[in-house]
Amino acid sequence: MKRVFKVFAVFTLLILIAAISGGFSLWHHIGDHQGMSITVNGEEMILGALDLGDIIGGAVGLAIAAVVVLVVVPLCLLVGIGLPLLIVGAVLALGVLAALSVGAVVFSPLILIGLVLWLLLRRKPAKPLPPQAPATPVEPALIHD
């Protein structure tokens, strides 16, 4: 699983690098065409020149986009998908618990009879024998003259 995560992380970084370099390339190539102009809210953007306001605006826009992608989207997925799944799972678990509780109450006489029969009819374990001392070989008595 770690290898799959590493492969996906590398592919993601490669796609990110390709998108950033493509964006910069398009920005510079659009500025080279004389007939091309971009108008935002009635103001025409001059593509060849960037001032400090454009750079700060771009940085703020990227920061907001990063917060949305890294924080807002995962939280929306958790609340939108994870919370309903958690609620459904909890309701199903409560249903199973209720069914098992009713079953335990209904079948409690049978369970009690089964327990008594098991206690009466089970084999008692054999008592372990106490360990005996190892037998020592008896040597014949030596005759002394």
Side-chain angles (χ1 to χ4, degrees), residues 60-96:
V60 169
L62 286 175
I64 291 172
V67 168
V68 167
V69 169
L70 296 175
V71 176
V72 174
V73 171
L75 284 177
C76 288
L77 288 175
L78 280 175
V79 171
I81 295 173
L83 189 62
L85 286 177
L86 183 66
I87 291 171
V88 168
V91 168
L92 289 177
L94 284 175
V96 169

Side-chain angles (χ1 to χ4, degrees), residues 21-62:
S21 63
F24 280 122
S25 174
L26 283 173
W27 181 264
H28 289 294
H29 287 299
I30 287 176
D32 291 340
H33 298 288
Q34 297 300 329
M36 180 72 71
S37 67
I38 298 176
T39 305
V40 177
N41 291 334
E43 294 184 25
E44 186 174 339
M45 291 180 60
I46 299 172
L47 298 176
L50 288 176
D51 59 348
L52 186 61
D54 292 336
I55 293 173
I56 292 175
V60 169
L62 286 175

